Amino acid sequence: MAGAKEYLARLPAFMPIYPTDTPPLPTNPIERGLTDLWSRTAFTKSADWRLRFFESTKNLLEESLWELANINQDRIANPIEYIEMRRKVGGAPWSANLVEHAVGAEIPAAIAATRPMRVLKDTFADGVHLRNDLFSYQREVEDEGENANCVLVLERFLNVSTQEAANLTNELLTSRLQQFENTAVTELPPLFEEYGLDPVARLNFLLYIKGLQDWQSGGHEWHMRSSRYMNKKAVNSPTSMLILGGPTGLGTSAVHIGSLYNTLGLGRFKSFTHVPYQPVGPVTLPKFYMPFTTSLNPHLDAARRHSKEWARQMGMLDSLPGIPDAVIWDDHKFDVADVALCVR
């Protein structure tokens, strides 16, 4: 742990926010990689973007101490802690910033901090990480001793079988992808109007959203083809992998279902199949017990006269200025409204 902290302490120096900041000479592969990455990406964007990229990169590197501490203590996180920390320790939020660079569309700092944009980034990250957990369980948990895996977390926390935990992880994955879609479709248009974005800025936003979707799709395809996770029975046809062949063994029924959800989008229909205001009934009403009778206030007629007199004095019954034939209220409309009856 002491060595890890010392190793990580130097890394922020290789991510300068301003061009005048000179990083030290790299001494290891991570430092060399950061130097190369930063020089090719960071200064093509604003300082606000660099601050966001710095934060996500720092989290990605330093939160590995959380994983290391859990391994040392033989500790498995609870589901809430796991999802929150996985967003920091996983590479997806970091990748989401790079998507802005890849598509050439920077999100303004004020809008990047809004709720819809945070939801899109978090649901994107959850989808990436949960998918990896499904595919990597056997390799990383059973063979390599990792304990940062949602399947393992749910298995231990809920005391369910590994397959049940895999199914629950897949359901959580599907719900996060649906939340991403719902937020993009329903919350971005009002956000555009609120900030008065011009057509070019809106197009850049949509390019960014498409970039996140492409990353999600590409990540799924990579997991389906990568020799790290796929066995020798898998073939290189997306269709056959999703339906006919694909991975076998622990958790793979969830992978098949997730593949269909993610590729064909069938799962999203659950959120939109309800049709409101459908005819119901007939409904048989019971006999309601009413312990008292209704009556009219004896001053109702006087209230009607006085309220109309007051309305006339206030000018409510006058025609609109300059338009003699146009009125909002007149004697007939006031009588029909019967406002005095409302306050009897």
Side-chain angles (χ1 to χ4, degrees):
M1 184 65 76
K5 290 180 179 179
E6 181 181 356
Y7 186 88
L8 294 169
R10 281 174 50 88
L11 298 182
F14 296 89
M15 299 181 285
I17 301 300
Y18 302 102
T20 54
D21 300 334
T22 304
L25 292 176
T27 60
N28 58 59
I30 293 294
E31 293 174 355
R32 285 193 292 271
L34 270 179
T35 300
D36 178 60
L37 169 72
W38 209 259
S39 66
R40 290 188 292 111
T41 58
F43 296 109
T44 65
K45 293 288 183 289
S46 68
D48 289 326
W49 184 89
R50 290 196 291 275
L51 286 169
R52 284 191 280 125
F53 194 39
F54 176 91
E55 180 183 6
S56 60
T57 309
K58 187 170 182 288
N59 287 340
L60 173 63
L61 296 168
E62 294 188 353
E63 295 302 329
S64 58
L65 293 173
W66 171 74
E67 289 186 303
L68 183 58
N70 285 343
I71 292 174
N72 288 342
Q73 300 168 18
D74 194 24
R75 174 183 179 272
I76 297 176
N78 64 66
I80 302 299
E81 177 194 4
Y82 176 77
I83 294 295
E84 179 182 1
M85 294 302 295
R86 191 73 164 93
R87 290 174 183 168
K88 294 181 178 180
V89 106
W94 177 81
S95 301
N97 288 327
L98 281 178
V99 167
E100 294 180 62
H101 174 78
V103 301
E106 181 177 337
I107 306 301
I111 302 180
T114 61
R115 177 194 170 277
M117 296 307 298
R118 293 199 310 270
V119 170
L120 288 172
K121 193 171 183 178
D122 286 348
T123 52
F124 165 78
D126 292 344
V128 170
H129 298 149
L130 293 172
R131 176 183 296 104
N132 178 263
D133 287 350
L134 279 173
F135 277 91
S136 68
Y137 181 90
Q138 287 184 303
R139 176 72 177 261
E140 295 180 357
V141 175
E142 295 185 346
D143 297 343
E144 300 176 356
E146 290 277 356
N147 61 10
N149 186 288
C150 191
V151 177
L152 180 64
V153 167
L154 295 177
E155 181 183 3
R156 298 291 181 86
F157 189 81
L158 300 177
N159 193 27
V160 296
S161 70
T162 306
Q163 184 61 63
E164 289 176 297
N167 292 338
L168 290 172
T169 300
N170 181 71
E171 291 179 11
L172 182 58
L173 161 63
T174 302
S175 73
R176 302 310 285 156
L177 295 178
Q178 290 176 339
Q179 180 65 61
F180 180 95
E181 292 178 347
N182 184 272
T183 301
V185 171
T186 64
E187 297 192 43
L188 283 189
L191 188 69
F192 295 163
E193 297 299 328
E194 179 182 353
Y195 285 85
L197 299 185
D198 59 39
V200 174
R202 298 184 187 211
L203 178 60
N204 286 337
F205 263 90
L206 297 179
L207 286 174
Y208 172 65
I209 300 305
K210 183 180 182 299
L212 294 179
Q213 291 175 317
D214 290 344
W215 201 110
Q216 195 82 249
S217 176
H220 185 86
E221 185 71 11
W222 179 82
H223 280 85
M224 293 295 292
R225 295 172 180 262
S226 171
S227 59
R228 174 169 177 79
Y229 301 120
M230 295 300 291
N231 55 42
K232 295 180 181 179
K233 295 180 180 180
V235 292
N236 290 327
S237 166
T239 305
S240 60
M241 281 190 286
L242 292 174
I243 302 173
L244 303 177
T248 60
L250 181 65
T252 54
S253 69
V255 172
H256 284 298
I257 297 171
S259 302
L260 290 173
Y261 271 127
N262 303 340
T263 305
L264 304 179
L266 300 178
R268 72 169 67 96
F269 292 133
K270 292 194 300 183
S271 302
F272 302 103
T273 52
H274 174 69
V275 180
Y277 309 118
Q278 293 297 294
V280 295
V283 178
T284 303
L285 298 178
K287 292 183 178 181
F288 296 101
Y289 170 67
M290 180 63 68
F292 52 84
T293 59
T294 60
S295 62
L296 295 178
N297 191 300
H299 303 292
L300 175 59
D301 290 335
R304 284 170 170 159
R305 292 194 303 272
H306 295 159
S307 62
K308 183 183 283 191
E309 291 171 3
W310 177 87
R312 198 181 306 280
Q313 292 173 7
M314 297 299 106
M316 289 177 57
L317 306 183
D318 296 345
S319 60
L320 296 180
I323 313 177
D325 297 329
V327 296
I328 297 177
W329 291 92
D330 58 19
D331 285 76
H332 174 70
K333 291 181 178 179
F334 195 86
D335 292 339
V336 170
D338 205 358
V339 292
L341 181 64
C342 297
V343 294
R344 64 184 176 80

